Amino acid sequence: MKRVFYLLLLFLCTQRIAAQDIQTVLNKVDYTSGNNPQEKLYLHIDKYAYTAGETIWFKAYTTIGIQNLFSRLSNIGYVELIDPLNRIVSSIKIPILNGIGIGDLPLIDTLTAGSYRLRAYTNWMRNDDDRYFFDRTIQISNGRADNVLTATSVSQTDDGEAYTIALKSLSGVPLSKTTVYYELVKDGETLRKKRTSTDEQGILTIDVDNKFAGTLIKLRFDNLEKMPVNKIIRPANPRSKNSVQLFAEGGKILIGSLNNVAVKSINPQGLAVKSKVFIKSRTDTLSIIETNDLGMGASYIFVGQDTSLSATAVFADGSTTDVVLPEIVSEGYSIILNTRNKERIISQVNLSQNLVNHEDLYFIAHHMGQVYYVSKQKANKNELAFSVNRSTLPTGVITISILNSQFMPVVERAVFNYADESRLPLMATLNKQTYGRRDSVRVHVLAGADRDSIRVAALSASVINLNKIQDDYKTAPDILSSLLLSADINGFIEKPGYYFAEGKIKDQELDYLMLTQGWRNIDWSSIGLEIKPKFEAEKGVKIAGYTKKLGRKAPEPNATVQLISTKNFMDFIDTVSNEEGYFDFGYLLFPDSIKFLVSARTKKGKKNIDIIVESNEPPAVTANRNAPLEINDVNTVFLDQIKQSKQFFAQLERTGLMEKSIAIEEVVVRATARKEVSENSSNLNGPGNADQVLTAEDLSTCTTLEMCLAGRIMGVRWVDGAPYNTRGNVPMQVVLDGMFIEPEEISMINVMDIESVEVLRNSNYTGIYGMNGGNGLLILTSKSGLSARSNYVPRGILTIQPQGLYATRTFYKPEYDVDNAVKLARDLRTTIHWEPAIVSDMSGKTAFSFFTADEPGKYLITLEGVDLNGRIGRKLVTFEVK
């Protein structure tokens, strides 16, 4: 009897120790998850495609974790526009308050037409992979400074590929006998430069050798109006035929067990194609998997001891391809999930015989280490069943991890869980059923349900004319697909909005997606480790740096450092550098384009000190995960949109709401742009390749450099001694012998020391400078070829212009019920209305209004938002304008 008692006591103690061990692991997981919260960012944009001269209007929603509560972690958001050459051509910082930010990106009229990326993130999000940034591909056409249509085709040759590109004007006139300069560009590096010309029909042929496969082709030529035009031609896809991948649930096929195998079938462009996959064991067919419209499917197969398996895919056109099977193992684990059960997620874990060792196996349902369910079983048979009630799990991508007795994952699987209560109910009621032109529309919005105690929600709304868009708005990315899928799933998701379209969750298709895509998961090897995040959550704009001994790398400790605003020299803050010379003014809030003076004195009050201010470099631009959406010939595809926008711009120009096209100005400037320039010029385009050039002879009659330049260079005016680009009224970047200097410092330079001044305003020349060229540049070259500025650098003081917070512009809203308001003769708005700051009250009610345009058709209202409980909502409403 005593023996039985001791055995029972030993068993209970062992169970308690095991329970403590798994609890210790869970505590570490919870600690790691708590110290590394997942921040997500989504941009609701006003429409789906744009043309140069328009503005991208957006609202930013930042949320925390799978619960999607508004984030209070970061107060600064970064929004970038990335061009077809993977260069950041526009970047702004926006303030984010309680998870909400509003902004806009103007599209200058010299943008190169093509597939662009709109990327957004917070500094904290940089601690994870940039694959989880908001990153959306948008098409931008150009009918302002471009006016050229292209038609591109590619054919295979013995040595590579032949690109045939037809060039013609918007009216269809071929650009015959036109000289074209082209470059082959890869990863930002130019591999080859050549010159060629079009034939009588405006057709250009470019041969690309195999050694240059996968390169972009950058074209430069003059259009019929003699304006410089850039075009980017994307490379042909290296895959010349359809391809298929097989994925085993859990990663591997286990011999002697039932396995679930999923299929992903794509065409050469990376988009879905339907196929039928036959999996055979010698002559026996184990399974036939037929994919859906998104190229996905799955089926069960049982693999016996004979592992001579093969797979073949057959496509609708009758073509076939052999398919590589996932790894087949005789020892290990596999997993099968039953996700069709609405109440529970049921899991079968298969073990090879050698792993039936009666040790503990743990079933954990979690999201990035935030654990929602744990259960345990002994490994006492080849098949173990686990299950979890769906009601205990949040909506989103959940990871099922099976841990062994050493608490390490042996098999994992992503599953999408959905709870109806996680969706924010939205209702939108219009004041009329149909409308006329320039008619007043009043939209009453109701957020939440009667049972909700809190119905406050932050919302945004856009209104467009469906006759003007080509995208399928029901399957395009939206707030649900972004926060619930893209923020956790690796790689390209085709038609992400499809999975939540019309309020219906596509359970089976979502499970196929989970089986065929990678996902964001916790790093189990880092559990419990004290790892300081590299990037902190920003509460403002940070200005920090180092004080160093003059001309040396050694720090200058305990130096007094002041930050002085050039707007008000009485407005300053100060601090003291530490023993390493590091100083930090903390988080500040100030608008963009503000200049500061940073002054420093040694502990003894001397000025002999160097100041280095840290610069915040943006994340590297990596490969576009949405590359299958990148296209050539954007102007041709969106010709109708270009024509409509040109008519609308003409109306805005007549009323003074928009600057006129730069065509005439550019023609005049280019007529004087080819003067001889010193070979010492730092112009990245090459000496003399500029919109305008002034030589030492031109400057010989002036006493100051500003006096020489004022009135002589086209499109530039002077404000307080600094050059401003009249296109946008923004300060230009000044470069002296390759060194970026402040525009105001021009007054410090002796005019007799300057050999030439080159003016860069057109994107054909400014593009190579990336973000630094956005406002235009003045390239100064001194007569010695050395820095003429060296005599003017004061000690212990530095001028800086850190990127501040972007000041959001106001969306133009016509007021046809106000007599003295500005009215368009023809209202041809592309975006009918944009309303970013909608907030429902405690009862869930709010409203907004707008006027219809002059064009009839079906109008679409897209309403999106998040409430205080983290519920996400989206509502689409259409109405007719006659």
Side-chain angles (χ1 to χ4, degrees):
M1 184 68 182
K2 287 184 178 181
R3 183 178 180 183
V4 173
F5 173 76
Y6 286 129
L7 287 174
L8 180 60
L9 182 62
L10 178 63
F11 173 75
L12 292 174
C13 290
T14 302
Q15 289 294 97
R16 184 178 179 185
I17 292 172
Q20 289 176 339
D21 286 342
I22 187 60
Q23 190 58 53
T24 301
V25 172
L26 295 178
N27 289 340
K28 290 180 178 180
V29 170
D30 184 67
Y31 175 82
T32 300
S33 175
N35 285 319
N36 298 276
Q38 176 197 19
E39 190 169 44
K40 300 182 283 188
L41 191 152
Y42 166 71
L43 296 185
H44 178 193
I45 59 179
D46 60 307
K47 56 180 183 175
Y48 303 93
Y50 298 85
T51 188
E54 293 183 334
T55 297
I56 301 174
W57 302 94
F58 65 82
K59 180 172 182 176
Y61 295 87
T62 56
T63 64
I64 287 289
I66 198 169
Q67 290 84 8
N68 286 304
L69 297 172
F70 283 119
S71 173
R72 295 186 178 181
L73 192 62
S74 298
N75 288 343
I76 301 292
Y78 296 81
V79 181
E80 299 166 344
L81 186 66
I82 301 171
D83 74 1
L85 291 173
N86 273 352
R87 302 174 305 187
I88 300 173
V89 294
S90 182
S91 174
I92 62 173
K93 286 182 182 178
I94 62 168
I96 296 177
L97 181 62
N98 294 327
I100 297 297
I102 296 173
D104 60 87
L105 278 177
L107 302 178
I108 61 174
D109 50 14
T110 52
L111 281 177
T112 301
S115 298
Y116 283 71
R117 294 163 62 183
L118 187 62
R119 185 171 77 164
Y121 55 90
T122 65
N123 197 53
W124 178 262
M125 290 170 65
R126 297 179 66 180
N127 290 305
D128 213 325
D129 199 293
D130 65 353
R131 291 176 295 180
Y132 305 113
F133 291 177
F134 175 87
D135 198 333
R136 180 165 175 174
T137 296
I138 57 175
Q139 313 302 337
I140 300 179
S141 56
N142 189 329
R144 297 279 283 174
D146 186 329
N147 292 323
V148 176
L149 304 178
T150 58
T152 305
S153 61
V154 185
S155 59
Q156 299 297 318
T157 65
D158 294 338
D159 300 325
E161 297 160 340
Y163 287 78
T164 302
I165 307 162
L167 305 179
K168 60 182 180 180
S169 68
L170 296 184
S171 59
V173 179
L175 273 66
S176 60
K177 299 299 182 180
T178 299
T179 300
V180 178
Y181 299 88
Y182 73 88
E183 301 175 27
L184 302 183
V185 181
K186 190 169 187 178
D187 299 328
E189 180 183 357
T190 298
L191 304 181
R192 172 178 286 182
K193 289 185 178 181
K194 279 195 172 184
R195 183 179 69 177
T196 185
S197 61
T198 61
D199 62 15
E200 290 287 352
Q201 287 74 43
I203 295 175
L204 177 73
T205 301
I206 297 176
D207 293 320
V208 178
D209 296 340
N210 284 324
K211 64 180 179 180
F212 296 122
T215 57
L216 293 166
I217 303 176
K218 181 180 178 182
L219 307 179
R220 181 165 56 90
F221 55 90
D222 288 350
N223 62 15
L224 295 180
E225 292 80 21
K226 301 305 179 184
M227 291 178 56
V229 172
N230 285 325
K231 293 288 186 182
I232 303 297
I233 306 299
R234 300 197 53 76
N237 196 291
R239 293 190 302 266
S240 59
K241 59 181 183 179
N242 299 332
S243 61
V244 172
Q245 280 184 286
L246 293 180
F247 303 86
E249 187 170 6
K252 298 176 182 178
I253 294 176
L254 183 62
I255 293 174
S257 300
L258 189 66
N259 297 270
N260 190 20
V261 177
V263 174
K264 179 69 173 180
S265 177
I266 58 176
N267 65 17
Q269 288 71 46
L271 298 174
V273 62
K274 296 186 75 171
S275 68
K276 189 178 292 186
V277 178
F278 297 83
I279 301 178
K280 294 184 177 182
S281 174
R282 298 188 189 277
T283 58
D284 295 332
T285 299
L286 300 182
S287 179
I288 301 175
I289 309 174
E290 191 166 356
T291 65
N292 60 13
D293 290 335
L294 292 173
M296 297 183 293
S299 180
Y300 298 107
I301 62 169
F302 180 85
V303 180
Q305 296 304 314
D306 184 0
T307 59
S308 302
L309 303 186
S310 64
T312 303
V314 180
F315 302 98
D317 61 2
S319 62
T320 64
T321 185
D322 293 333
V323 183
V324 177
L325 284 153
E327 182 181 358
I328 302 173
V329 298
S330 58
E331 296 181 356
Y333 302 84
S334 69
I335 189 171
I336 295 177
L337 259 59
N338 178 359
T339 59
R340 297 187 180 185
N341 190 302
K342 298 294 184 182
E343 304 296 327
R344 306 185 68 82
I345 297 174
I346 303 170
S347 171
Q348 177 180 309
V349 178
N350 301 317
L351 296 73
S352 58
Q353 189 58 41
N354 66 307
L355 295 174
V356 182
N357 51 20
H358 299 275
E359 293 184 357
D360 291 332
L361 283 180
Y362 299 91
F363 173 94
I364 299 180
H366 66 97
H367 176 266
M368 294 292 295
Q370 190 169 356
V371 178
Y372 296 96
Y373 181 81
V374 181
S375 65
K376 179 183 71 172
Q377 285 196 51
K378 293 289 185 181
N380 53 14
K381 53 185 178 180
N382 296 104
E383 297 177 359
L384 300 177
F386 298 88
S387 69
V388 55
N389 197 316
R390 285 184 178 272
S391 63
T392 64
L393 305 176
T395 291
V397 179
I398 300 292
T399 301
I400 303 298
S401 297
I402 305 299
L403 308 188
N404 61 16
S405 57
Q406 286 75 46
F407 310 111
M408 293 303 295
V410 293
V411 64
E412 292 184 297
R413 155 82 143 94
V415 61
F416 189 86
N417 187 63
Y418 179 78
D420 287 333
E421 58 270 18
S422 67
R423 192 158 189 166
L424 173 64
L426 289 175
M427 290 182 59
T429 306
L430 307 184
N431 59 329
K432 291 196 293 185
Q433 301 231 336
T434 59
Y435 295 86
R437 302 175 187 184
R438 303 195 180 194
D439 209 346
S440 176
V441 181
R442 182 73 174 170
V443 184
H444 295 274
V445 178
L446 185 63
D450 293 339
R451 63 179 181 276
D452 297 330
S453 57
I454 299 177
R455 300 178 69 172
V456 178
L459 306 166
S460 49
S462 68
V463 185
I464 58 176
N465 187 338
L466 286 177
N467 293 344
K468 293 190 173 188
I469 70 168
Q470 298 183 28
D471 300 71
D472 182 356
Y473 64 90
K474 293 182 180 179
T475 63
D478 58 41
I479 191 169
L480 292 163
S481 67
S482 181
L483 294 179
L484 299 181
L485 278 184
S486 300
D488 283 310
I489 295 296
N490 298 344
F492 172 59
I493 303 175
E494 186 174 353
K495 298 181 179 179
Y498 164 80
Y499 298 97
F500 307 96
E502 300 175 342
K504 299 175 183 177
I505 303 302
K506 312 300 188 297
D507 295 314
Q508 184 62 72
E509 288 79 1
L510 277 167
D511 200 49
Y512 290 156
L513 189 68
M514 298 299 107
L515 287 167
T516 56
Q517 305 269 164
W519 73 98
R520 190 198 299 228
N521 197 3
I522 192 170
D523 180 5
W524 289 93
S525 63
S526 66
I527 295 301
L529 299 180
E530 291 283 352
I531 301 176
K532 183 180 178 180
K534 182 178 180 180
F535 301 98
E536 58 189 12
E538 294 176 322
K539 301 301 181 183
V541 181
K542 189 174 185 178
I543 299 178
Y546 291 88
T547 53
K548 295 184 179 293
K549 296 185 182 298
L550 188 65
R552 298 164 58 186
K553 295 182 179 180
E556 182 69 64
N558 305 314
T560 301
V561 188
Q562 280 191 335
L563 181 69
I564 307 166
S565 170
T566 58
K567 292 291 185 181
N568 180 3
F569 289 101
M570 300 300 293
D571 184 13
F572 67 90
I573 56 177
D574 53 23
T575 187
V576 177
S577 62
N578 63 17
E579 292 299 320
E580 287 75 38
Y582 180 75
F583 64 88
D584 184 353
F585 290 108
Y587 287 116
L588 309 171
L589 297 175
F590 54 86
D592 206 5
S593 301
I594 296 292
K595 291 185 174 65
F596 296 92
L597 294 177
V598 182
S599 67
R601 298 291 185 272
T602 66
K603 193 174 181 180
K604 296 181 179 180
K606 303 293 184 181
K607 298 181 181 178
N608 297 331
I609 189 171
D610 283 335
I611 307 170
I612 299 175
V613 174
E614 292 181 332
S615 60
N616 187 16
E617 293 297 322
V621 179
T622 55
N624 185 6
R625 71 183 181 197
N626 299 311
L629 300 180
E630 296 176 338
I631 61 174
N632 287 323
D633 311 325
V634 169
N635 271 8
T636 303
V637 174
F638 292 91
L639 178 58
D640 289 343
Q641 182 171 315
I642 290 176
K643 292 179 177 179
Q644 292 163 356
S645 66
K646 288 174 79 71
Q647 296 178 49
F648 180 54
F649 293 158
Q651 293 295 319
L652 294 179
E653 289 168 359
R654 291 190 187 99
T655 55
L657 295 174
M658 184 177 187
E659 291 185 10
K660 291 192 175 182
S661 177
I662 49 84
I664 296 176
E665 173 188 318
E666 293 295 340
V667 172
V668 174
V669 171
R670 292 192 75 249
T672 61
R674 294 295 180 185
K675 292 188 178 181
E676 186 175 347
V677 177
S678 168
E679 62 181 13
N680 293 322
S681 169
S682 63
N683 187 348
L684 297 181
N685 300 283
N689 290 313
D691 293 301
Q692 188 178 1
V693 173
L694 296 178
T695 64
E697 182 180 350
D698 299 319
L699 305 175
S700 61
T701 59
C702 308
T703 56
T704 67
L705 189 56
E706 179 184 345
M707 184 185 299
C708 280
L709 300 181
R712 287 198 180 187
I713 50 180
M714 300 291 295
V716 179
R717 68 187 188 91
W718 295 82
V719 179
D720 298 330
Y724 272 64
N725 193 334
T726 57
R727 190 185 309 147
N729 195 30
V730 288
M732 301 177 71
Q733 177 65 62
V734 179
V735 183
L736 174 62
D737 291 331
M739 181 184 301
F740 289 88
I741 67 174
E742 297 301 323
E744 295 86 353
E745 294 186 63
I746 281 185
S747 62
M748 303 169 64
I749 300 174
N750 188 341
V751 66
M752 302 305 295
D753 291 337
I754 298 300
E755 184 170 354
S756 66
V757 178
E758 296 167 85
V759 184
L760 311 183
R761 297 184 65 234
N762 190 282
S763 64
N764 188 45
Y765 300 121
T766 62
I768 196 170
Y769 287 89
M771 292 173 57
N772 293 319
N775 297 341
L777 303 96
L778 294 185
I779 309 297
L780 310 184
T781 304
S782 65
K783 289 181 178 179
S784 64
L786 303 174
S787 177
R789 180 177 179 249
S790 57
N791 297 326
Y792 309 106
V793 179
R795 296 175 178 177
I797 193 168
L798 181 69
T799 302
I800 62 171
Q801 188 177 350
Q803 186 180 20
L805 301 178
Y806 180 75
T808 303
R809 300 181 302 154
T810 301
F811 181 82
Y812 168 66
K813 304 175 183 179
E815 298 176 315
Y816 292 123
D817 56 350
V818 178
D819 292 336
N820 58 353
V822 177
K823 296 181 177 66
L824 301 175
R826 293 185 65 204
D827 188 344
L828 306 172
R829 279 171 288 159
T830 50
T831 297
I832 303 299
H833 187 66
W834 171 246
E835 194 78 45
I838 305 173
V839 179
S840 62
D841 60 20
M842 292 297 292
S843 61
K845 296 179 180 179
T846 186
F848 64 95
S849 58
F850 59 91
F851 285 91
T852 61
D854 284 341
E855 296 175 294
K858 180 180 286 188
Y859 285 29
L860 170 70
I861 301 173
T862 301
L863 183 67
E864 295 186 333
V866 182
D867 74 356
L868 296 182
N869 293 314
R871 295 185 300 177
I872 306 170
R874 186 171 193 257
K875 182 70 175 179
L876 302 178
V877 178
T878 59
F879 62 94
E880 291 288 341
V881 175
K882 298 181 178 179

